Amino acid sequence: MYSFEIERPATIAEAVAALKGEDAQALGGGQTLIPTLKQRLAMPGVLVSLAGIDAINGISRNGAGEFCIGGGSTHAAVAGGAGAYPALAALAGGIGDPAVRNRGTIGGSLANNDPSACYPAAALGSGATIVTNAREIAADDFFQGMFTTALDEGEIITEVRFAVPEVANYQKFEQPASRFALVGVFVAKYASGVRVAVTGASEEGVFRWAEAEAALSADFSAAALDGLTMSAAGMIGDLHGTAEYRAHLVAVMTRRAVQAAG
Amino acid sequence: MPNDIGHSASSKRREDVRFLTGVGNYTDDIDLHRQSHVVFLRSQVAHGRLKAVETTAAAAMPGVLRIFTGADFEGVGGIPTGWQITSRDGEVMQEPGHPVLAQGKVRFVGDMIAAVVAETEDQARDAAEAIELDIEELPAVIDMKAALAEGSPKVHDDLTGNLCYDWGFVEDNRDAVDAAIKAADHVTTLELVNNRLVANPMEPRVAIGDFAPGTGDSTLYTTSQNPHLIRLLMGAFVLGIPEHKLRVVAPDVGGGFGTKIFHYAEEAFCTFAAKALKRPVKWTSTRSEAFISDAHGRDHVTKIELALSKEGDFLAVRTDTHANMGAYLSTFAPAVPTWLHGILMAGNYKTPLIYVNVKAVFTNTVPVDAYRGAGRPEATFQLERVIDKAAREMGFDPIELRRRNFIHDFPYATPVAVEYDTGDYDATLDKLLEISDHAGFEARRDASAKKGLLRGLGINCYIEACGIAPSNLVGQLGARAGLYESATVRVNATGGLVVMTGSHSHGQGHETAFPQVIAKMIGIDENMIEIVHGDTANAPMGMGTYGSRSLAVGGSAMVRATEKIIAKAKKIAAHLLEASDADIELKDGQFSIVGTDKSVAWGEVTLAAYVPHNYPLDDIEPGLEETAFYDPTNFTYPAGAYSCEVEVDPDTGRVTIERFAAADDFGNVINPMIVEGQVHGGIGQGIGQALLEGAVYDDNGQLLTGSYMDYAMPRADDLPFFQVDHSCQTPCTHNPLGVKGCGEAGAIGSPPAVVNAVVDALQRAGLDVTHIDMPLSPARVWSAMNS
Ligand SMILES: Cc1cc2nc3c(=O)[nH]c(=O)nc-3n(C[C@H](O)[C@H](O)[C@H](O)COP(=O)(O)OP(=O)(O)OC[C@H]3O[C@@H](n4cnc5c(N)ncnc54)[C@H](O)[C@@H]3O)c2cc1C
């Protein structure tokens, strides 16, 4: 690790100001950033810890009935506090291990947009709204490929708003070593239709599976998926699984998610 | 009935209190006055010509004391190899030089190019990044067969090629084996890979060199399984420091699994640099560094053929193995695929003709050496897999086919040079079927099928050669060391004992089990006995701990030394009791005249030894301290039978282990709880190898599995509850404790059971899958099912 300064703002405004500094970077739970620093793969001059900003911490419901999760909320907080959206709580409870869940945050996970991370599937699969210090971004516009998002430099995720679906489920097939998602599929059924978001599989990062959404919107049953397959083109192939295997798992996990959602 | 000996057979591990409460004394816990820190600059390319190492700018950076490069080690010895193997043609193996820091070429990702010593580790790391390297990249030699092909680039330019040796065993049997295979009713052939593993002890390696200018003495603190061996190798072969001027201390060591046996260049560097700088020099490996610098394990590519009669008798076994040595020869590397592998190829069976061919190959990868089991897992895996395959091909029950070929008469001389002293393979197999509820398998299979899962059952036997090893024998086989063990038993005036042993405990529980042995011999409380190990300054020359040897060999040395103590103590007691020492018996800590009620207590005798007012000074010296060296006359041969039940998810290829049972014959058992713990850990690692672990290099020699993000370690929830049993006991006939060793069995016996079970599950589902290479990741199983 290279040495760095640390700032601990108490408000969003202070954090935004601190992030304007040269080589400044936001620090959420540090569960991705700290390992990166330990390997000397990044060299920020200042880390701006978001952990002390009360305004981005906590879970509530808004007037529209949306579930509003502060960007600094830990995975453990969501696992324990999102009972009204069980699929989301279960997803958060399945991330990493207790140490990771007690530190890692939803804002950090979405900002990082690891192609194998879980939260991007929930956000895209729920059509969530990502709220920042500057604007609101629809999930459909937020994820822009592996480790790439619509966030501008120094922009902070302050809240993530989820409309609660009728039923939903997340199926995660774990990569044996990291236990991130080798393939994860989030299925959510809303009155307006079904959304299916896939993580872990694509070289483009999290994506929606349009054919499955159409089939399930017409008939929300595993049978509706019969005959639907995912093409291996553009899927990740590595030592944990070929592109074909991942494409196959997308179909299997989608079916299981529908079955589990009931 | 199991013969579980000792006063309180399952004494709780006394060392665990300090380990679990964070008050152990590991090497990294040691910080010396004026200590400096070293960071090694390691090669990021697998193979390259080192054209320039520019250190001037780096040397001027804050805190830097000195930067060393290969040039500083010209005239210093290289890292030696402990075994010399002779090829089939009578030539000795090719043995490349292994400089402490790279000279001329880098040969694997992780090879050490320069060493920066600075006031702090961060300063050293900063300066290491500022070193400018000019490396002309060369094509990497990764695949073993390609490495032996005509025209392959050479890992070592001064060798004739990448072949280290071509070993045949037993060479005289070669033609007979070929003929038997040609003439047999049936030959089953299996090609397989024994996957490369990274040992991953919880504690990474650490070394601290220290030098006392006043006396000229050097000290090395290191995470080692055998400090005396390090002192010998490093002192005599690398740095030229006589043993009386060199002390090696291996304090608490957090797991070794083989990879901490070997003498590493980092140890030599820290000792050398401490003397050069007249300051302590400390190195602590990072986990990332461990992946590219701790010796790896296994990495064999094998073809095995088993010839059978139509009745199912094994007629001959022929194997052809390529064994990866990596870029340099690590300490025991040449011995692992040969003498620890070939001699086990009879397994538990009376196969009359066996021929083993091993080609050891240099590649641009981390050196490969012993890892828990070392050679024996590789032998067991191929043999037990090919037997399973043969049973399927010929329509035999795999259990009955094994039974039919079991060795029943002991001692049994195998056709591969070793003589098994005792064993009862039917007993362990019967016990296995009982504890694993073999009879209930079909019902469990039906239950799995109802869930849409494919259940399979895998069974295998194993034998290993432990208690390593008779020195005269290993000398003939090319060992450059003896493999005895030592113990000094020091009795104090007030009756407590300190036992200094050359065995080294790095998780095995010696501090608990060893006292049980001595306590029983004397009849005193085991808490009166303290085990001291890991420091060449106080323990007699010993060979350390590996090869499941510590109780069988080190324990035997302790028994011999204690016998000497008791003999002398009886003389003292006889004097005190005014009797003849022939009439003295020792029981429950009391010396008494046989047939009388006259006695003196242990403590009175020990006090007399050190306060010899009333003492036979004309006959014997005061004091009560004895040393014994024990050299075994044979290996020991633990054996057993393992079974595994798996469920395979047909949609994803994911395998879960539902049941696992192990019936082992370890001979006598001193502390059953420790034995079970050793078996549990071994099975954990065996299942790790079978399902999860695998070190993978790409064609350029980059390690793709260089962290836990990609190298899958077994975790508690990957493992079921184990049924383990050690009640079948055929005591070893040639050591005084009748013990055989239990440290590696779990890792040796378990991988074939897992793979046999998965193949069984797929075959029962009607799939034509005869083998899948480890690790049986979901992706591999799914591919096998769908190809
Ligand atoms: C052992 C382990 C296992 C894991 N397993 C999983 C898993 O199974 N599934 C999974 O999804 N993830 C997993 N993770 C990743 C974990 O969820 C991380 O917590 C998460 O990816 C990053 O969140 P963080 O709060 O720790 O962010 P940090 O590491 O602090 O930051 C990550 C990045 O996001 C930026 N950032 C942080 N917070 C904000 C914010 N509010 N607004 C804008 N930018 C921000 C930082 O500047 C940085 O670039 C695992 C991590 C570990 C160490």
Side-chain angles (χ1 to χ4, degrees):
Chain A
M1 194 179 288
Y2 300 105
S3 56
F4 53 82
E5 300 297 321
I6 181 130
E7 298 220 13
R8 302 173 200 276
T11 66
I12 297 172
E14 284 170 22
V16 170
L19 282 168
K20 292 212 161 69
E22 211 180 319
D23 293 336
Q25 188 172 2
L27 175 68
Q31 295 304 294
T32 297
L33 187 51
I34 298 293
T36 310
L37 297 183
K38 281 169 87 174
Q39 293 189 55
R40 293 192 157 201
L41 295 174
M43 204 175 173
V46 183
L47 287 188
V48 180
S49 170
L50 308 180
I53 306 174
D54 289 342
I56 67 165
N57 215 327
I59 301 171
S60 60
R61 294 292 280 264
N62 65 10
E66 286 174 317
F67 225 73
C68 306
I69 300 179
S73 304
T74 63
H75 309 333
V78 176
Y85 192 169
L88 184 66
L91 173 144
I95 293 175
D97 49 46
V100 170
R101 294 194 289 273
N102 284 332
R103 304 285 319 178
T105 66
I106 188 169
S109 179
L110 294 177
N112 194 48
N113 193 18
D114 186 304
S116 306
C118 301
Y119 264 129
L124 191 61
S126 310
T129 304
I130 288 108
V131 184
T132 75
N133 57 297
R135 55 187 168 145
E136 296 186 1
I137 309 170
D140 283 320
D141 303 324
F142 182 82
F143 302 105
Q144 302 190 344
M146 272 196 189
F147 298 108
T148 313
T149 67
L151 290 176
D152 290 329
E153 191 99 335
E155 193 172 1
I156 300 170
I157 298 175
T158 54
E159 189 173 86
V160 189
R161 288 191 203 135
F162 294 88
V164 179
E166 292 166 17
V167 291
N169 186 263
Y170 176 60
Q171 290 288 318
K172 176 184 183 186
F173 192 81
E174 290 176 345
Q175 193 258 56
S178 70
R179 296 198 173 178
F180 275 64
L182 187 72
V183 167
V185 177
F186 197 98
V187 172
K189 178 171 183 284
Y190 290 91
S192 55
V194 175
R195 292 174 73 103
V196 177
V198 179
T199 187
S202 167
E203 289 174 342
E204 302 295 315
V206 66
F207 68 98
R208 289 172 64 184
W209 187 11
E211 289 88 344
E213 289 186 350
L216 292 169
S217 295
D219 170 15
F220 192 74
S221 74
L225 296 167
D226 286 351
L228 267 194
T229 55
M230 168 67 63
S231 158
M235 295 282 123
I236 299 169
D238 60 17
L239 64 107
H240 303 291
T242 58
E244 290 70 28
Y245 181 58
R246 279 189 169 80
H248 166 79
L249 283 181
V250 171
V252 173
M253 292 300 127
T254 304
R255 174 179 299 271
R256 289 185 180 178
V258 171
Q259 279 162 344
Chain B
M1 272 304 289
N3 177 18
D4 292 343
I5 57 179
H7 278 155
S8 46
S10 277
S11 296
K12 296 255 173 19
R13 294 180 15 137
R14 54 168 89 161
E15 48 269 74
D16 284 351
V17 176
R18 71 175 190 275
F19 296 160
L20 296 177
T21 57
V23 293
N25 181 38
Y26 294 92
T27 309
D28 197 45
D29 292 325
I30 298 171
D31 285 311
L32 302 178
H33 181 57
R34 294 185 70 237
Q35 172 177 287
S36 62
H37 296 264
V38 60
V39 165
F40 295 104
L41 177 65
R42 296 178 183 275
S43 179
Q44 296 183 4
V45 303
H47 194 192
R49 211 166 294 290
L50 205 46
K51 299 177 84 172
V53 184
E54 180 46 58
T55 60
T56 317
M61 288 179 62
V64 175
L65 297 169
R66 186 168 157 187
I67 299 179
F68 296 79
T69 67
D72 294 293
F73 286 84
E74 273 159 21
V76 176
I79 305 300
T81 300
W83 282 73
Q84 186 176 60
I85 298 299
T86 303
S87 285
R88 294 173 48 210
D89 60 8
E91 292 285 317
V92 296
M93 68 185 191
Q94 297 206 81
E95 200 171 342
H98 182 183
V100 174
L101 296 177
Q103 291 170 353
K105 262 173 98 169
V106 288
R107 296 189 174 86
F108 65 97
V109 171
D111 208 356
M112 302 197 298
I113 298 170
V116 181
V117 183
E119 296 289 348
T120 71
E121 191 180 328
D122 273 341
Q123 289 171 335
R125 212 170 285 287
D126 288 344
E129 284 178 1
I131 295 175
E132 287 167 39
L133 296 176
D134 182 1
I135 298 179
E136 176 198 338
E137 248 190 272
L138 299 169
V141 181
I142 303 300
D143 179 80
M144 285 193 275
K145 290 182 183 167
L148 297 184
E150 196 78 33
S152 165
K154 287 199 284 186
V155 178
H156 295 277
D157 300 346
D158 52 337
L159 303 186
T160 60
N162 295 317
L163 181 70
C164 176
Y165 56 74
D166 177 1
W167 183 77
F169 186 68
V170 173
E171 197 58 28
D172 291 346
N173 287 350
R174 187 186 171 99
D175 293 341
V177 170
D178 289 351
I181 287 176
K182 212 165 191 180
D185 295 332
H186 186 90
V187 178
T188 296
T189 305
L190 182 60
E191 295 190 35
L192 53 84
V193 172
N194 205 292
N195 40 329
R196 179 186 273 248
L197 303 177
V198 181
N200 280 306
M202 197 180 287
E203 176 207 32
R205 286 189 297 121
V206 181
I208 311 169
D210 191 19
F211 180 73
T215 58
D217 289 348
S218 293
T219 303
L220 169 69
Y221 300 87
T222 182
T223 48
S224 175
Q225 301 178 211
N226 36 217
H228 286 94
L229 192 66
I230 303 305
R231 186 181 63 168
L232 179 65
L233 294 177
M234 183 176 81
F237 297 96
V238 190
L239 301 180
I241 307 174
E243 282 161 286
H244 64 283
K245 301 301 278 180
L246 177 58
R247 174 181 170 206
V248 177
V249 185
D252 286 336
V253 172
F257 312 113
T259 206
K260 290 178 184 166
I261 298 172
F262 323 121
H263 175 40
Y264 286 95
E266 293 90 347
E267 295 170 320
F269 176 83
C270 290
T271 311
F272 178 89
K275 189 170 182 181
L277 295 167
K278 307 239 176 344
R279 285 183 66 168
V281 177
K282 181 173 188 172
W283 170 69
T284 301
S285 172
T286 64
R287 183 60 67 185
S288 309
E289 227 177 344
F291 272 99
I292 53 168
S293 68
D294 292 4
H296 292 177
R298 317 270 194 262
D299 205 349
H300 287 191
V301 176
T302 292
K303 176 180 169 189
I304 179 167
E305 296 158 285
L306 172 65
L308 304 95
S309 73
K310 61 179 182 302
E311 295 80 21
D313 294 326
F314 298 167
L315 304 176
V317 167
R318 182 167 64 195
T319 76
D320 178 349
T321 288
H322 286 70
N324 206 334
M325 296 286 105
Y328 300 100
L329 288 178
S330 177
T331 308
F332 281 157
V336 174
T338 50
W339 300 115
L340 292 175
H341 167 250
I343 62 165
L344 272 303
M345 212 53 82
N348 311 56
Y349 314 102
K350 48 192 185 214
T351 315
L353 286 165
I354 299 175
Y355 180 72
V356 178
N357 180 216
V358 178
K359 295 179 187 72
V361 186
F362 293 112
T363 59
N364 291 116
T365 62
V366 169
V368 181
D369 205 329
Y371 168 71
R372 201 171 193 169
R376 291 150 291 166
E378 294 89 320
T380 304
F381 184 72
Q382 53 181 290
L383 189 61
E384 294 294 327
R385 284 287 303 121
V386 81
I387 292 171
D388 238 53
K389 187 167 183 237
R392 283 180 202 289
E393 287 176 358
M394 299 180 75
F396 292 122
D397 177 313
I399 296 176
E400 291 317 312
L401 182 62
R402 287 179 168 87
R403 271 198 207 278
R404 178 185 181 90
N405 288 283
F406 273 165
I407 295 160
H408 289 110
D409 300 322
F410 296 91
Y412 175 81
T414 71
V416 275
V418 289
E419 184 176 281
Y420 302 162
D421 57 345
T422 53
D424 184 346
Y425 307 145
D426 279 312
T428 42
L429 186 51
D430 290 343
K431 179 55 76 176
L432 178 79
L433 300 181
E434 178 197 322
I435 62 171
S436 64
D437 185 25
H438 184 68
F441 172 72
E442 287 301 334
R444 291 191 292 273
R445 195 173 97 84
D446 289 346
S448 299
K450 287 206 178 73
K451 294 186 287 177
L453 299 171
L454 315 176
R455 199 175 188 105
L457 170 66
I459 292 214
N460 65 273
C461 300
Y462 78 90
I463 182 148
E464 50 169 331
C466 294
I468 291 172
S471 294
N472 54 4
L473 173 67
V474 296
Q476 287 164 30
L477 304 182
R480 291 166 170 163
L483 286 168
Y484 51 83
E485 196 44 87
S486 67
T488 294
V489 176
R490 177 177 295 161
V491 184
N492 294 316
T494 51
L497 282 74
V498 177
V499 180
M500 286 151 284
T501 165
S503 296
H504 186 279
S505 188
H506 31 278
Q508 293 86 346
H510 293 177
E511 291 170 38
T512 303
F514 286 2
Q516 289 181 258
V517 172
I518 297 177
K520 186 181 181 213
M521 290 177 72
I522 302 176
I524 54 174
D525 190 297
E526 63 200 54
N527 291 315
M528 290 171 69
I529 303 162
E530 196 68 27
I531 302 297
V532 172
H533 62 87
D535 187 345
T536 61
N538 51 33
M541 173 77 181
M543 296 309 293
T545 289
Y546 40 83
S548 305
R549 68 191 302 271
S550 290
L551 193 58
V553 188
S556 296
M558 270 174 0
V559 169
R560 292 280 187 258
T562 307
E563 284 168 355
K564 293 187 196 178
I565 292 282
I566 291 172
K568 183 170 177 184
K570 279 184 176 172
K571 287 194 176 136
I572 302 169
H575 178 87
L576 295 176
L577 292 166
E578 295 175 347
S580 149
D581 44 312
D583 294 335
I584 303 293
E585 70 173 6
L586 171 62
K587 198 162 171 271
D588 297 336
Q590 292 283 329
F591 296 89
S592 51
I593 305 174
V594 183
T596 76
D597 59 1
K598 283 180 68 180
S599 70
V600 283
W602 168 253
E604 294 174 75
V605 171
T606 61
L607 190 65
Y610 290 94
V611 188
H613 296 163
N614 175 16
Y615 194 86
L617 283 166
D618 292 342
D619 285 345
I620 50 175
E621 298 167 4
L624 204 47
E625 173 164 329
E626 299 287 351
T627 294
F629 286 77
Y630 180 83
D631 204 290
T633 55
N634 191 355
F635 292 95
T636 62
Y637 301 95
Y642 281 31
S643 91
C644 175
E645 284 181 31
V646 297
E647 281 181 349
V648 181
D649 179 343
D651 292 335
T652 64
R654 180 159 184 260
V655 176
T656 53
I657 311 254
E658 297 300 313
R659 294 170 73 89
F660 200 100
D664 294 292
D665 175 0
F666 296 133
N668 292 334
V669 166
I670 304 294
N671 184 314
M673 184 189 68
I674 289 179
V675 165
E676 285 179 17
Q678 289 289 309
V679 175
H680 282 208
I683 296 172
Q685 283 179 307
I687 290 175
Q689 171 166 28
L691 287 190
L692 296 158
E693 299 183 50
V696 180
Y697 280 96
D698 72 9
D699 293 342
N700 297 320
Q702 295 295 333
L703 184 62
L704 298 178
T705 51
S707 81
Y708 295 136
M709 291 299 277
D710 290 299
Y711 188 92
M713 291 293 283
R715 301 178 217 198
D717 66 355
D718 291 313
L719 307 172
F721 282 87
F722 306 129
Q723 277 93 37
V724 301
D725 180 278
H726 61 264
S727 65
C728 302
Q729 299 182 345
T730 60
C732 169
T733 56
H734 56 80
N735 67 44
L737 290 166
V739 297
K740 295 185 170 179
C742 67
E744 296 162 295
I748 294 169
S750 51
V754 176
V755 180
N756 286 348
V758 173
V759 171
D760 181 63
L762 302 187
Q763 294 240 347
R764 284 174 194 263
L767 292 160
D768 181 27
V769 175
T770 54
H771 181 69
I772 308 173
D773 275 324
M774 302 184 291
L776 271 58
S777 64
R780 284 194 177 175
V781 173
W782 182 80
S783 304
M785 295 174 76
N786 291 283
S787 62

